[in-house]
Amino acid sequence: RYLLEQDFPGMRIGPEPTTDSFIAVMYGETEGNVPGNALVVDPKKPFRKLGRFGNAFLNRFMCSQLPNEVLKSISIIDSPGILSGEKQRISRGYDFCQVLQWFAERVDRIILLFDAHKLDISDEFSEAIKAFRGQDDKIRVVLNKADQVDTQQLMRVYGALMWSLGKVIDTPEVLRVYIGSFWAHPLRNTDNRRLFEAEAQDLFKDIQSLPQKAAVRKLNDLIKRARLAKVHAFIISYLKKEMPSVFGKENKKKELINKLPEIYIQLQREYHISAGDFPEVKKMQEQLENCDFTKFHSLKPKLIEAVDNMLANKIASLMNLIRQEESNMPTEMVHGGAFDGTMAGPFGHGYGEGAKEGADEEEWVVAKDKPAYDEIFYTLSPVNGKISGISAKKEMVTSKLPNSVLGKIWKLADCDGDGMLDDEEFALAKHLIKIKLDGYELPGTLPSHLVPPSHRKPFQTAE
């Protein structure tokens, strides 16, 4: 709702778990709903494989179409509210985690929403996050309603969230968490306004870049699947080879299923495969229970060779083709809704702050502090109205900024490049030091509004 800046059919927002359906929010010329059963038989939509989850799921699945600019570039899958407690989990009537896993394998970004007031990760949420295993690079976390707590509480909430996530997601890396208040209501606590704005911009940039990188991600998924298929072939052919031709098939099958962890280790050594490429042991054992090992195929070295050749040679040339195509095409970004106007006018990120301060004022922004800077300037014994680099350095190093930063400030402040500073250039240098000490970035080149008045080129008048 926040990204689209308009309601979509089937949307219900409330503090309780309101939506009990998976809603695919997609672009359409006219506004309307398509129910799940009709959706999985539509050849133009990518949902045909969802039919295997049965009617209980399809009654809880729908596509919401509307003519929104944002949806021309991205489609959004809105999942149901997460429940807590064993009873509710059983009553869904379909395998919730399996459905999540199906979507996770196909989407470009997974956003987990947390509420600053309700941080507990329920059993179902924990299971849901575990269903995303192997898709860790796609996950981002949003800590919403952060304006409803003060700065001290927010710090504690953020720490508690990271601790909780660390318990559920088994990776040493820290997930990216975006903190903010993602709705169009006034902020309750404005102390962290700048933080919320910066976080929202980061999240927007992340989402906006998705269409641009879609082809590379699809190629990445293809490589991932090719590696898994290859490993799967090694496991299946090994099980086939070990089966007796006449008697004791059932006993041998049970023995092989129990010995699966050892078989994995043996195959790793024999074919030099990474342990991370093998499917999960428990899941594989469950699936093998229902299979007839004698019907498995033997290993076909030519097919394995073809896969290796594809991974080693053809993928590299495909990657080059994608890069060439991307460089020739205009940059594709998400537009419309909350993505438009966020950087426009005086409400753009950082506008009127740091080096951008005074950009739309007629008076030179440094002038208000110049009298104080002039007092320091005249203690540095100027000759012909200018101080040398050595004198300027003695004063500038008192800021305790690194020499590399001071060198950049000197380059920006010495407008005429004569290796000396007049009173206006010195005032500019002190202003740039103040900008850096306040935690803002220095500009790459000096903006026109910061150029000292005496160094500005006069406008050429037409004769």
Side-chain angles (χ1 to χ4, degrees), residues 91-213:
S91 68
R92 279 200 193 268
Y94 61 90
D95 194 327
F96 181 61
C97 290
Q98 283 283 310
V99 175
L100 284 179
Q101 197 174 353
W102 188 92
F103 279 115
E105 286 167 2
R106 288 155 181 83
V107 298
D108 294 320
R109 184 67 74 238
I110 299 163
I111 297 177
L112 304 177
L113 276 164
F114 284 90
D115 193 315
H117 289 290
K118 299 192 283 283
L119 275 186
D120 57 315
I121 298 181
S122 66
D123 294 347
E124 190 175 41
F125 203 179
S126 177
E127 290 298 316
I129 294 171
K130 282 174 185 169
F132 301 142
R133 191 164 282 152
Q135 314 293 337
D136 303 335
D137 56 321
K138 295 178 180 179
I139 298 175
R140 302 288 183 272
V141 178
V142 169
L143 178 58
N144 201 9
K145 303 182 188 173
D147 65 319
Q148 298 188 14
V149 292
D150 61 34
T151 307
Q152 188 182 13
Q153 287 172 321
L154 183 59
M155 187 183 75
R156 295 183 193 285
V157 164
Y158 179 78
L161 175 61
M162 298 309 282
W163 183 83
S164 302
L165 286 170
K167 290 273 184 187
V168 181
I169 298 170
D170 305 325
T171 61
E173 292 86 8
V174 176
L175 283 174
R176 175 66 166 100
V177 176
Y178 298 94
I179 303 166
S181 180
F182 295 94
W183 65 347
H185 291 250
L187 296 176
R188 280 203 192 170
N189 192 323
T190 57
D191 295 350
N192 298 307
R193 175 188 280 275
R194 271 181 58 198
L195 169 69
F196 298 159
E197 284 171 2
E199 291 284 280
Q201 288 305 326
D202 284 356
L203 180 60
F204 285 166
K205 278 178 194 165
D206 187 61
I207 296 170
Q208 279 185 305
S209 67
L210 292 177
Q212 208 178 335
K213 297 170 186 169

Side-chain angles (χ1 to χ4, degrees), residues 347-384:
F347 300 99
H349 179 52
Y351 189 92
E353 299 171 351
K356 294 175 187 173
E357 187 189 351
D360 50 4
E361 292 173 19
E362 284 185 26
E363 194 182 349
W364 189 38
V365 70
V366 184
K368 63 177 185 289
D369 295 318
K370 193 171 180 289
Y373 298 147
D374 282 350
E375 284 180 28
I376 302 166
F377 178 77
Y378 289 111
T379 62
L380 299 171
S381 311
V383 177
N384 298 327

Side-chain angles (χ1 to χ4, degrees), residues 230-267:
K230 193 173 131 184
V231 172
H232 195 74
F234 288 136
I235 297 167
I236 296 301
S237 61
Y238 181 88
L239 296 173
K240 160 86 172 175
K241 190 175 70 178
E242 292 296 306
M243 285 299 282
S245 52
V246 187
F247 301 111
K249 289 180 184 178
E250 274 306 308
N251 289 337
K252 187 64 179 175
K253 176 182 168 179
K254 282 177 186 171
E255 187 193 322
L256 287 169
I257 290 172
N258 291 332
K259 277 176 63 184
L260 198 60
E262 294 163 41
I263 293 168
Y264 277 13
I265 295 164
Q266 192 179 327
L267 292 172

